[in-house]
């Protein structure tokens, strides 16, 4: 009845309907050659690291130059990106989900000038503003979360760890020497808004201590039922606490054995802080993927249980990641993703080849109903 009273007519559902709300419609921003050939692409090839060509059924071509970008940019850098797009690409560009910048031209003769322009732009310290690469059997940009910049529950930094890692693996961003694509992701806490659960190599910030309880201010700052409801393991319950002043206040108690240090309670209640300089650090995971090729998608497994936060360059973390990449590059078969390689040789051998210490804490015995019910894959068995 509400729809009818508001003027909705089920016989003419589009009558008087407002459709142009929010952002402009996406297809208004297509480059002309893409608008012309949408849905009619015949094939694409990677001509060299960072350079792709898409060929349409009618013979039209689009050449894409992919550059590494940062998740946080100044307006001056964004203006420079727009300037490049206007100079070479008729004002069109796009960003990938991993923060790469892609400049597109409709003629092969325009590619060299674009590449030369991009390669010549550097920051004052000498690093490339727009490094070309990130395609095929190499490493593309690291997708990551907020970290210490402005997230309130991180156990490590995001931009800092990603910068330190990309500096070490930059050569593999600019070439395609690996057996298959290798995706690195980063999440600054185990709430994982960085999708590290399905990456070849994953950096995960990890708290190791339960939240601290500020009983004096908790009931003044927090809705106690919300803090209790936010806990995914039911580790928090209401209680009353006697303060040193003799005052009795409403507060909460935490069952430390059930706490998984996620920080959800702190999201609801500022009097339950979780950050700890010595207790916080990094977990490394490996073997995940989204692709259905060769084998079905895989979850990442913990392979390094804890590394300390060694700001600003995280040397233990980057050394460990490099060891995994080099072992994978040397031993995996062509087209084999890191997790597929580890399963073929056995995870025991994976730890040996990557020079990683193994403890019983790393045994993956978790089995969720999803393992049995989410059987949605292209990998059919009869």
């Amino acid at each position: 009845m509400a729809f009818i009273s508001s003027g909705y007519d089920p016989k003419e559902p589009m009558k008087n309907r407002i459709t142009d709300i929010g952002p402009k419609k996406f297809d208004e921003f297509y480059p002309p050659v893409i608008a012309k050939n949408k849905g009619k692409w015949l094939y694409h090839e990677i001509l060299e690291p960072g350079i792709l060509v898409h060929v349409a059924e009618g013979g039209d071509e689009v050449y894409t130059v992919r550059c590494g970008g940062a998740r946080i940019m100044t307006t001056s850098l964004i203006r420079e990106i727009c300037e490049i797009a206007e100079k070479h690409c008729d004002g069109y560009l796009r960003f990938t989900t991993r923060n790469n910048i892609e400049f597109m031209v409709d003629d092969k003769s325009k590619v060299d000038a674009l590449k030369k322009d991009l390669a010549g732009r550097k920051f004052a310290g000498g690093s490339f503003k727009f490094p070309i690469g990130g395609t095929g059997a190499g490493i593309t940009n690291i997708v990551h979360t907020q970290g210490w910049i402005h997230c309130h529950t991180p156990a490590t930094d995001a931009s800092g760890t990603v910068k330190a890692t990309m500096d070490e693996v930059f050569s593999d961003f600019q070439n395609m020497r690996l057996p298959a694509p290798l995706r690195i992701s980063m999440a600054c806490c185990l709430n994982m808004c960085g999708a590290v659960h399905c990456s070849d190599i994953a950096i995960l910030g990890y708290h190791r201590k339960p939240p601290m309880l500020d009983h004096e201010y908790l009931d003044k700052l927090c809705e106690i039922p919300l803090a209790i409801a936010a806990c995914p393991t039911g580790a928090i319950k209401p209680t009353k606490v006697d303060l040193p002043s003799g005052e009795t206040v409403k507060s909460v108690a935490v069952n430390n054995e059930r706490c998984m240090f996620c920080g959800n309670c702190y999201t609801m209640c500022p009097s339950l802080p979780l950050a700890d300089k010595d207790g916080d650090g990094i977990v490394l995971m490996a073997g995940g993927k989204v692709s259905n090729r060769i084998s079905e998608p895989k979850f990442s497994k913990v392979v390094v249980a804890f590394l300390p936060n060694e700001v600003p360059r995280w040397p233990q973390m980057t050394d460990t990641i490099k060891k995994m990449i080099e072992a994978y590059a040397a031993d995996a078969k062509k087209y084999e993703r890191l997790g597929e390689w580890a399963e073929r040789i056995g995870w025991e051998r994976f730890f040996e080849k990557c020079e990683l210490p193994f403890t019983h804490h790393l045994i993956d015995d978790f089995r969720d109903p999803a393992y049995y019910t989410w059987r949605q894959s292209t990998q059919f068995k009869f």
Side-chain angles (χ1 to χ4, degrees):
M1 292 299 294
F3 289 111
I4 295 173
S5 63
S6 64
Y8 173 76
D9 184 353
K11 295 181 180 179
E12 295 185 76
M14 297 302 293
K15 184 179 180 180
N16 298 323
R17 180 176 176 182
I18 300 173
T19 58
D20 190 17
I21 54 177
K24 299 289 284 185
K25 194 161 183 283
F26 54 85
D27 59 9
E28 295 181 31
F29 303 103
Y30 288 162
V33 66
I34 288 181
K36 176 185 174 184
N37 294 286
K38 183 176 180 178
K40 301 175 182 177
W41 298 103
L42 195 60
Y43 67 92
H44 77 276
E45 293 179 323
I46 301 173
L47 302 178
E48 59 185 85
I51 312 297
L52 303 94
V53 60
H54 289 72
V55 181
E57 294 171 355
D60 289 339
E61 296 178 336
V62 173
Y63 291 85
T64 301
V65 180
R66 177 181 293 182
C67 306
R71 217 186 134 180
I72 298 172
M73 293 183 178
T74 62
T75 54
S76 60
L77 186 66
I78 294 171
R79 290 189 187 102
E80 191 168 351
I81 293 170
C82 295
E83 173 204 322
I84 295 168
E86 289 167 357
K87 180 179 177 181
H88 296 279
C89 313
D90 298 321
Y92 295 97
L93 66 102
R94 67 182 171 210
F95 288 83
T96 73
T97 55
R98 301 188 77 93
N99 309 315
N100 295 295
I101 309 157
E102 292 191 342
F103 298 99
M104 298 161 289
V105 294
D106 56 7
D107 193 298
K108 189 175 183 179
S109 63
K110 301 177 181 178
V111 173
D112 287 340
L114 175 57
K115 285 172 55 181
K116 186 177 180 180
D117 190 357
L118 293 168
R121 296 176 186 253
K122 296 185 178 182
F123 290 106
S127 60
F128 291 104
K129 287 184 177 180
F130 308 105
I132 298 171
T135 56
I139 296 173
T140 190
N141 247 355
I142 300 177
V143 64
H144 65 91
T145 56
Q146 308 296 340
W148 289 330
I149 293 170
H150 65 81
C151 182
H152 64 286
T153 59
T156 188
D157 192 25
S159 300
T161 55
V162 167
K163 167 64 175 170
T165 302
M166 284 303 292
D167 279 352
E168 294 294 332
V169 303
F170 182 63
S171 61
D172 282 318
F173 176 83
Q174 292 193 307
N175 65 50
M176 298 188 294
R177 73 179 178 107
L178 301 178
L182 191 140
R183 300 288 174 257
I184 304 176
S185 298
M186 192 281 154
C188 51
C189 78
L190 54 71
N191 289 301
M192 283 202 314
C193 49
V196 300
H197 63 289
C198 54
S199 301
D200 295 286
I201 297 175
I203 305 164
L204 174 64
Y206 187 60
H207 300 286
R208 294 190 298 171
K209 297 181 181 180
M212 296 168 272
L213 305 176
D214 189 354
H215 295 297
E216 182 178 357
Y217 295 100
L218 194 143
D219 192 31
K220 300 180 178 70
L221 291 171
C222 310
E223 293 284 351
I224 290 176
L226 291 180
I228 294 170
C231 180
T233 61
I236 302 174
K237 66 180 182 179
T239 189
K240 290 185 177 180
V241 176
D242 295 326
L243 299 177
S245 64
E247 180 186 3
T248 300
V249 296
K250 295 178 180 178
S251 187
V252 299
V254 176
N255 182 340
N256 291 347
E257 292 184 358
R258 298 190 71 170
C259 178
M260 69 175 193
F261 325 124
C262 67
N264 279 1
C265 56
Y266 180 58
T267 300
M268 294 290 109
C269 179
S271 289
L272 293 170
L274 199 69
D276 179 85
K277 180 181 177 182
D278 299 316
D280 294 348
I282 286 171
V283 168
L284 293 181
M285 305 171 72
K289 72 184 184 87
V290 175
S291 169
N292 256 316
R293 193 179 185 281
I294 297 180
S295 62
E296 62 189 17
K298 302 178 187 298
F299 285 130
S300 307
K301 299 178 185 293
V302 174
V303 294
V304 178
F306 187 80
L307 293 170
N309 278 319
E310 299 174 304
V311 295
R313 303 301 299 181
W314 284 268
Q316 287 190 69
M317 177 197 73
T318 56
D319 287 348
T320 305
I321 291 172
K322 284 171 63 180
K323 285 179 181 177
M324 284 193 277
I325 293 172
E326 292 305 322
Y328 165 67
D331 196 55
K333 296 179 179 179
K334 191 172 183 180
Y335 305 124
E336 201 170 44
R337 294 289 288 269
L338 188 142
E340 293 164 339
W341 164 64
E343 290 183 352
R344 177 174 60 82
I345 66 173
W347 281 97
E348 298 88 347
R349 290 287 291 153
F350 169 86
F351 280 88
E352 290 177 16
K353 288 181 176 290
C354 296
E355 301 176 32
L356 301 177
F358 181 83
T359 74
H360 70 280
H361 299 292
L362 299 174
I363 296 175
D364 180 14
D365 59 355
F366 175 75
R367 287 297 178 268
D368 185 87
Y371 271 79
Y372 308 108
T373 57
W374 291 357
R375 304 293 292 177
Q376 299 179 28
S377 168
T378 61
Q379 314 299 321
F380 294 103
K381 294 181 179 179
F382 293 97

